[in-house]
Amino acid sequence: MSEPLPYRAIVTAHAGELHERFAELAAGDGSGVTVTVAGRVMLRREMGKLTFMTMSEWTGQLQLFAGSQWTERFDELNRLSLGDWVSATGEVVRTRTGELSVRVGSWALLAEARRSFGDKWRGISDVDTRYRQRYADLWANPRSRQVLMARSRVVSALRRGLESGGFVEVETPVFHPVPGGATARPFVTHHNALDMDLYLRIALELHLKRLVVGGIERVFEIGRVFRNEGLSPRHNPEFTMLELYQAYADYHDMMDLTENLVAGVAREVTGGTRTEYAGRELDLAPPWRRATMLDLIAEHSGHEVGLDMPVEELTALASRLGVHVEPGWGPGKVVLEIYEKTTEPNLWGPVFVMDYPKEVSPLARDHRSSPGMVERFEVVVAGRELCNAFSELTDPDTQLANFEAQARARAAGDEEAMPVDTDYVRALEYGLPPTGGMGMGVDRLVMLLTGSEAIRDVIAFPTLRPEVGED
RNA sequence: GCGCCUCUAGCUCAAUGGCAGAGCAACGGACUCUUAAUCCGCAGGUUCUGGGUUCGAAUCCCAGGGGGCGCACCA
């Protein structure tokens, strides 16, 4: 390195805008416009006294056209490595063969690529390398960049959609003294000064409802939650949830809101509501089908079930259907298990699966007409849960009783059952108005809209085992 | 955590018990309109690691490590 690398580059144009602006420029013509562009050298084609390089930057690709007659330090330019960052100044021209180019006069090396980005045609396909070295994957594989951009647009569209509906965005604690708001095993950490264990949040729910008690009538958070569970193509230990709560609303209102929100995001991100996922057509246009869990079980398993059936009969049916049940489960848990094994994977959707057993829904409000049920729905798309929503439980006595039942299950060995959150009960004692709440897996929404079948494809840096013995 | 599959040059892949190879990248050279440029030349290896079987192991066996998929768990 004979000269120090520059501290900045004055970039006056980008590939995307140049392709648009000079779309009409004829082959062999110059534009008379001089620009400075910057990016990475992706390909180089040397022709003796002419060199063509494909430069890539955030908005697209652009050809650099260099020649010994007009390009400074031409020999040095030819020694650039693929992957090096450069800036180049020159006239925008279209070559005789029709490629829009910058005819390089002066140029500068901005950064060296000491490592190569893999096969120039096939990129990097080793999934381990792609996830571990996302910085290389993003350059080598255009699809990775498209997914990352789509994710940004999804989150942005969600935020704008909610803000235009009068929702206020908040941030609530990630450290929880008591994990709650969902049934899942938490991560534990320790605060030294307070000398106490803290849990990384598994849901946003309880703090957001506290804020509704405090008078924020429409509130939402888009935030990371953490669940101490196995990894899979559809599960990452940290993932992003959207949760929203709306005072004076019930779960019917949440259904209207959810289908409109998701369809709106789909239109903004993909240009429409029709998309393809796992080789199948998917249409997110409202209205979505609304059906009760019991009706869907009957439809898919061929068996009518109900919470009024004796638990022995339900257990026997589950066994006949090949659904494993644990002793001690109540009818609600058995019914949910039958639903999850026989019905949910076969729902293509989108469909609102309505009315869940109270037994498995400690934060939802009793159904106004179906005994033993709560007003809750999940949205299922492509056989997987996308959203979970309730008419929120507002009564502090019932909430306390539900927490205590959970605590007993926890004491009996169910590590996912919730402990009692006495402060949350105290908040309810100040009065929570009728409230509808909804939670959505943002990663899964991005997966649907980008056709990604692995959650790791939509998370820039997914959780992996640390490397050993690598440089 | 369990089961199955997988790991070879920087990248993508061959070689299935008998001399570890190709394309791209790198390196040297030719070429004034290329588009994965082309052509000539040259170099590149702890075949994931350790042990074993064998005259001989990338290949078969055992153990360990990384990854993928499935199961379990969950969203």
Side-chain angles (χ1 to χ4, degrees):
Chain A
M1 197 56 41
S2 53
E3 292 185 15
L5 295 168
Y7 280 72
R8 66 194 298 255
I10 299 168
V11 177
T12 64
H14 293 91
E17 94 200 34
L18 290 177
H19 282 293
E20 249 175 72
R21 183 172 160 199
F22 295 105
E24 303 300 317
L25 190 63
D29 282 359
S31 66
V33 176
T34 294
V35 298
T36 298
V37 293
R40 262 192 212 276
V41 176
M42 300 304 282
L43 299 170
R44 184 177 55 232
R45 296 173 289 279
E46 285 183 53
M47 290 284 303
K49 296 194 174 70
L50 293 184
T51 293
F52 304 88
M53 293 189 295
T54 302
M55 188 201 74
S56 171
E57 36 95 308
W58 184 240
T59 67
Q61 296 196 330
L62 189 65
Q63 180 166 269
L64 302 182
F65 180 26
S68 60
Q69 300 299 304
W70 65 80
T71 300
E72 67 174 19
R73 299 175 357 261
F74 181 74
D75 292 339
E76 200 179 317
L77 186 80
N78 284 328
R79 287 198 300 273
L80 287 175
S81 296
L82 301 190
D84 283 349
W85 293 85
V86 295
S87 63
T89 303
E91 185 187 0
V92 179
V93 301
R94 193 173 290 281
T95 58
R96 278 181 227 157
T97 49
E99 186 72 28
L100 191 72
S101 309
V102 169
R103 197 171 181 274
V104 180
S106 59
W107 63 277
L109 174 66
L110 302 178
E112 266 187 289
R114 296 193 193 175
R115 295 171 184 262
S116 78
F117 286 89
D119 191 286
K120 69 184 178 185
W121 184 238
R122 283 181 269 203
I124 298 171
S125 61
D126 180 74
V127 291
D128 189 35
T129 307
R130 289 187 45 227
Y131 298 144
R132 283 190 199 281
Q133 303 185 39
R134 186 68 87 180
Y135 33 84
D137 177 44
L138 286 168
W139 281 104
N141 301 315
R143 181 176 155 70
S144 293
R145 322 180 92 186
Q146 289 160 13
V147 169
L148 205 69
M149 285 177 77
R151 182 179 183 118
S152 167
R153 295 209 305 277
V154 166
V155 173
S156 169
L158 284 171
R159 195 166 264 136
R160 265 178 289 124
L162 290 169
E163 283 171 351
S164 71
F167 284 83
V168 173
E169 182 171 8
V170 297
E171 293 180 276
T172 63
V174 169
F175 294 136
H176 288 190
V178 223
T183 52
R185 292 167 64 183
F187 285 92
V188 191
T189 187
H190 189 80
H191 190 284
N192 290 338
L194 294 175
D195 189 24
M196 68 179 292
D197 284 343
L198 289 167
Y199 300 90
L200 302 190
R201 64 185 177 187
I202 57 175
L204 314 176
E205 176 143 357
L206 298 182
H207 281 99
L208 293 179
K209 282 191 277 189
R210 282 176 172 95
L211 292 173
V212 179
V213 170
I216 307 184
E217 296 179 4
R218 296 186 181 204
V219 66
F220 78 99
E221 179 169 6
I222 295 172
R224 203 73 58 83
V225 299
F226 309 85
R227 298 190 183 177
N228 208 335
E229 291 153 0
L231 288 74
S232 90
R234 285 160 293 281
H235 299 88
N236 197 62
E238 50 178 310
F239 62 101
T240 301
M241 290 252 314
L242 159 69
E243 286 196 30
L244 63 89
Y245 294 85
Q246 179 177 344
Y248 321 126
D250 66 7
Y251 79 144
H252 294 288
D253 297 309
M254 288 299 103
M255 287 187 245
D256 296 342
L257 183 156
T258 300
E259 62 189 6
N260 286 317
L261 183 64
V262 170
V265 170
R267 285 191 198 98
E268 278 203 46
V269 173
T270 69
T273 56
R274 284 170 180 275
T275 178
E276 196 181 283
Y277 192 76
R280 261 181 90 176
E281 167 105 358
L282 186 63
D283 192 348
L284 297 169
W288 298 349
R289 184 181 177 197
R290 302 183 185 194
T292 67
M293 175 190 287
L294 296 184
D295 286 346
L296 288 166
I297 291 174
E299 206 174 287
H300 284 83
S301 75
H303 292 86
E304 298 277 349
V305 298
L307 296 182
D308 49 350
M309 288 165 66
V311 69
E312 297 77 22
E313 202 177 317
L314 285 168
T315 303
L317 174 63
S319 307
R320 282 210 304 284
L321 292 170
V323 176
H324 176 75
V325 295
E326 298 276 344
W329 283 4
K333 178 70 175 163
V334 175
V335 165
L336 179 68
E337 205 64 20
I338 291 173
Y339 160 74
E340 286 186 349
K341 291 293 184 293
T342 68
T343 304
E344 188 179 80
N346 301 314
L347 296 174
W348 187 249
V351 55
F352 290 107
V353 181
M354 299 166 60
D355 301 345
Y356 279 63
K358 179 182 166 77
E359 184 186 334
V360 296
S361 313
L363 301 167
R365 187 166 179 171
D366 284 355
H367 198 284
R368 63 195 88 178
S369 56
S370 297
M373 292 291 187
V374 292
E375 295 196 353
R376 171 181 175 186
F377 69 80
E378 291 190 354
V379 172
V380 176
V381 186
R384 294 201 282 271
E385 181 187 337
L386 177 66
C387 305
N388 185 19
F390 325 131
S391 295
E392 300 297 335
L393 175 55
T394 58
D395 177 57
D397 298 328
T398 309
Q399 185 63 74
L400 180 59
N402 289 355
F403 273 146
E404 286 172 342
Q406 286 281 309
R408 281 192 298 276
R410 194 177 171 82
D414 182 350
E415 287 185 79
E416 295 181 349
M418 302 173 197
V420 180
D421 188 333
T422 52
D423 175 73
Y424 179 67
V425 174
R426 179 168 64 183
L428 293 186
E429 287 168 354
Y430 281 95
L432 176 67
T435 296
M438 192 274 286
M440 184 189 305
V442 173
D443 311 88
R444 288 202 171 164
L445 180 59
V446 177
M447 289 168 70
L448 287 173
L449 296 179
T450 57
S452 303
E453 292 186 44
I455 195 169
R456 287 171 184 172
D457 289 332
V458 303
I459 294 176
F461 300 100
T463 304
L464 301 168
R465 277 193 174 79
E467 288 177 281
V468 286
E470 286 289 321
D471 60 346

